Amino acid sequence: MQTDTSPPTTQFDWQIYADATFAGLSLLIPIPLLDVAFEWFFRRRMARTIARLRGDGGRSLSPAVIQEINRDPDAWWQGCLMAPFKLFLLFLKRLSRKLLYFLTVKEATDQLNFYWHRAFLLDHMVQRGDLDSVETAVPALQAMHIILKTHATSPLVQLAAQILDNVSHVLRTIFRWLRRGREDEVVQTTRQTMAAHWLDFAAYFAAVAQQYDALVTAVPQTPDNQS
């Protein structure tokens, strides 16, 4: 597939990473399953938001491509017959972690790391043109999932932990952001902290993009992703 081979964008842009950050912070919402709902919401709108910010007037992703992006190979809801049972187990898991807050913080740290990587890769994929069609999106997303699994621990974990040290009343913060687009002190501090440190990871992100570029060309073509 023909793609844009310009260098990846490693500068910090809050609009690119806002949804990813809120998806990670949603785990701190003290109500089991409401945290899952908000994480799911921000996760699903990441790609459209990023695409709108790139190119002249933004780039449009087809519904089929959006469906592929939001298809989670590890999703707990896969298998409709087992979904209620898995949902109940997830509720118990999240409830126990709310009671043991330090476990929730650890999971939120990992989720921030995960979603920041996902946002960076989606942005890189949009700019390369890998999400312009289903034929190119499928192998690109396969490459993305591989990278996300291999970067579960990264230098970004330290920044995520620093962010979480200054976070409180997440639910109120998210409601204000969604209803009015207003930044309270949590959003302001989070954005400023990320902006102050993001360039420290420029070389790291460039390496992640290089790994993706190499991997996406090596993903075997299957009947589902052949053009």
Side-chain angles (χ1 to χ4, degrees):
M1 56 187 171
Q2 187 175 1
T3 58
D4 182 355
T5 57
S6 57
T9 301
T10 57
Q11 294 87 355
F12 177 71
D13 184 339
W14 171 244
Q15 295 181 86
I16 296 293
Y17 293 97
D19 284 343
T21 302
F22 285 122
L25 294 180
S26 293
L27 272 72
L28 298 181
I29 295 175
I31 304 173
L33 299 189
L34 184 61
D35 56 349
V36 177
F38 276 111
E39 179 189 352
W40 180 85
F41 170 80
F42 286 113
R43 177 192 181 103
R44 290 183 65 85
R45 81 172 194 172
M46 284 171 60
R48 290 189 187 277
T49 301
I50 291 170
R52 283 199 305 267
L53 296 170
R54 295 305 183 196
D56 295 332
R59 302 184 74 151
S60 178
L61 303 182
S62 71
V65 168
I66 291 294
Q67 184 179 8
E68 289 296 330
I69 292 171
N70 290 327
R71 190 193 308 276
D72 184 355
D74 299 319
W76 56 265
W77 57 82
Q78 288 184 348
C80 295
L81 293 178
M82 294 296 294
F85 177 68
K86 292 181 178 180
L87 187 64
F88 178 69
L89 291 180
L90 180 62
F91 173 82
L92 294 180
K93 174 185 175 183
R94 289 295 171 86
L95 179 61
S96 65
R97 293 203 169 189
K98 303 303 181 187
L99 297 177
L100 298 174
Y101 186 72
F102 71 94
L103 291 178
T104 301
V105 172
K106 172 61 171 63
E107 187 175 7
T109 301
D110 293 340
Q111 288 293 77
L112 277 175
N113 176 67
F114 172 86
Y115 282 117
W116 285 341
H117 279 81
R118 188 174 188 265
F120 170 77
L121 287 169
L122 286 173
D123 185 29
H124 183 54
M125 293 155 71
V126 165
Q127 294 187 72
R128 277 174 48 102
D130 292 347
L131 301 180
D132 289 349
S133 69
V134 174
E135 288 75 17
T136 58
V138 171
L141 292 167
Q142 290 174 0
M144 183 188 76
H145 292 314
I146 292 172
I147 292 177
L148 290 176
K149 288 183 178 181
T150 58
H151 289 269
T153 301
S154 80
L156 291 173
V157 169
Q158 294 181 352
L159 177 59
Q162 184 176 347
I163 293 292
L164 292 173
D165 284 342
N166 298 302
V167 168
S168 60
H169 55 76
V170 172
L171 185 57
R172 186 177 71 187
T173 293
I174 289 177
F175 273 130
R176 286 182 176 179
W177 177 260
L178 290 177
R179 290 180 61 188
R180 303 174 186 175
R182 291 178 54 186
E183 293 189 0
D184 65 4
E185 65 276 11
V186 172
V187 176
Q188 292 174 358
T189 300
T190 297
R191 175 174 52 79
Q192 292 167 1
T193 301
M194 292 174 67
H197 295 281
W198 207 255
L199 284 180
D200 297 342
F201 306 103
Y204 171 77
F205 278 124
V208 172
Q210 186 176 22
Q211 181 184 1
Y212 166 83
D213 293 347
L215 188 59
V216 72
T217 60
V219 172
Q221 293 291 306
T222 68
D224 291 334
N225 59 30
Q226 286 177 344
S227 57

